[in-house]
Amino acid sequence: MRNVQTILKAGVASALISLLSLSAHAAEGAAEKMEAGADVSKLPGVVLTKKLADALPASIKASATLKVATDLTPPISFHDDDGKLVGIDADIAAALGVILGLNVQMTDVGAGAAIVPAILSKRFDMTISGINDDVELEKQVDVIDYMYDATTIMTIKDNPLGIKSMEDLCGKKVAVPVGTFQGKMVEAASMKCKTPIDIMAIPKMPDVLQAVRTGRAVATVNGYATSVYTTEHQTGNGKGLQALPEIRLAVGYLGMLTAKDNPELRDTVVAALQQMVDSGAYDTIMKKWSLGPLAVKTVKVNDAASMPAE
């Protein structure tokens, strides 16, 4: 999906966090209360679990509210035709609210590059967003690895240029989201090209897809789950696009983020998610959004190093 490798060096971390947080605040939407509908609240294991609710940090128990940051990338998190946040993350957030007895408020922070600053600035308790886990990210925040993903290429429908590999992008204009793992993959691929890739960095994923759809770029390198789902369902600005599912690169985890100094929240969320996995609720949610093959069997923390190196 997206890997926000805004690696904040010690000498400038505070200033960068403040700047990115202010920028994100200006772009973000309103907080939405994630309420479990019948399809979530009736799932096995999605029940108030007192021992987990009691293990939450005192500040969250006192407010009875969990503030969650997300950004938009279907089917992980996106707006439906009525403007409501929906997707895997919305369903998981609603289920967590039931299990932990909390009012879960989810906010679209506007762009993937705002996800890490959302936690480092303490404006949000956690993120539930399709961020690619990696060992550098784990130095900044704790990463709860809650599903798998990979990377693929998206082109306009029918792939008229016959793109079959990253090498085929050499000399072409490729759109990528700002500050992402996929962007870094394209940069690395470009360095191997005889004619470099013309990289178009765009803040928001919907605008990246629109750049390809309208011909401003010939392709994007994007998360496998989002690309395949967008192709199958032709959602939003993904209409007229096609994923190349035979291209499956950089298999790894997607993670939820919590602050390094908040292990109580991290461990409680892990336990609640594992309860959902063990009961079958999590698998039902993943299958609902056509991503059953990307489901994990065990919820781990900071496990990026265990994945194959690319």
Side-chain angles (χ1 to χ4, degrees):
M1 208 62 56
R2 301 166 315 288
N3 185 325
V4 186
Q5 293 190 58
T6 49
I7 308 303
L8 305 178
K9 303 300 181 182
V12 295
S14 179
L16 283 173
I17 292 168
S18 298
L19 180 62
L20 288 169
S21 297
L22 286 172
S23 175
H25 191 90
E28 73 187 28
E32 295 185 37
K33 183 177 180 181
M34 295 293 105
E35 296 183 301
D39 60 333
V40 172
S41 61
K42 293 184 178 180
L43 292 175
V46 181
V47 294
L48 177 62
T49 306
K50 190 174 185 300
K51 67 177 182 179
L52 295 181
D54 289 345
L56 287 164
S59 60
I60 292 178
K61 285 191 287 187
S63 67
T65 299
L66 184 66
K67 296 180 180 179
V68 177
T70 193
D71 73 314
L72 305 183
T73 179
I76 309 301
S77 184
F78 63 109
H79 288 127
D80 65 12
D81 292 340
D82 297 323
K84 180 182 177 182
L85 272 174
V86 296
I88 290 171
D89 288 350
D91 285 349
I92 288 177
L96 287 175
V98 174
I99 294 169
L100 302 176
L102 295 174
N103 169 24
V104 178
Q105 295 181 351
M106 183 173 268
T107 301
D108 166 26
V109 295
I115 290 294
V116 173
I119 298 304
L120 298 180
S121 65
K122 305 292 187 180
R123 292 189 56 243
F124 294 90
D125 300 309
M126 66 179 296
T127 75
I128 306 180
S129 182
I131 299 296
N132 294 85
D133 190 7
D134 69 69
V135 293
E136 292 298 327
L137 180 64
E138 292 169 3
K139 294 176 182 177
Q140 301 178 69
V141 291
D142 282 333
V143 186
I144 301 170
D145 298 315
Y146 74 114
M147 62 181 289
Y148 294 112
D149 197 20
T151 295
T152 192
I153 297 172
M154 290 191 79
T155 70
I156 59 174
K157 191 175 180 180
D158 298 325
N159 189 17
L161 296 181
I163 294 169
K164 297 180 180 179
S165 67
M166 292 289 282
E167 290 78 9
D168 291 337
L169 300 179
C170 293
K172 298 179 176 64
K173 182 165 285 188
V174 176
V176 295
V178 172
T180 61
F181 173 68
Q182 286 79 15
K184 291 182 180 297
M185 284 186 68
V186 175
E187 291 172 3
S190 182
M191 293 177 66
K192 301 176 183 178
C193 292
K194 186 174 181 180
T195 303
I197 298 170
D198 184 357
I199 301 171
M200 179 188 295
I202 301 174
K204 297 183 179 181
M205 176 53 71
D207 295 334
V208 170
L209 299 181
Q210 183 73 343
V212 180
R213 182 172 174 257
T214 58
R216 292 170 56 214
V218 303
T220 182
V221 175
N222 193 19
Y224 190 93
T226 293
S227 299
V228 171
Y229 183 88
T230 298
T231 297
E232 291 178 354
H233 297 271
Q234 293 294 301
T235 57
N237 288 341
K239 292 179 180 177
L241 300 182
Q242 178 176 324
L244 308 180
E246 66 276 11
I247 300 173
R248 189 176 175 90
L249 309 168
V251 176
Y253 290 115
L254 299 183
M256 304 176 182
L257 310 184
T258 60
K260 285 286 188 184
D261 61 359
N262 200 354
E264 296 90 351
L265 177 60
R266 176 200 67 203
D267 293 346
T268 303
V269 169
V270 168
L273 288 170
Q274 192 62 52
Q275 177 170 306
M276 292 172 60
V277 170
D278 294 342
S279 70
Y282 162 84
D283 194 51
T284 298
I285 290 171
M286 293 292 288
K287 289 178 178 177
K288 170 186 172 180
W289 296 102
S290 304
L291 296 183
L294 300 181
V296 298
K297 299 300 182 185
T298 303
V299 181
K300 298 182 180 180
V301 176
N302 298 333
D303 195 44
S306 73
M307 302 307 290
E310 292 295 323

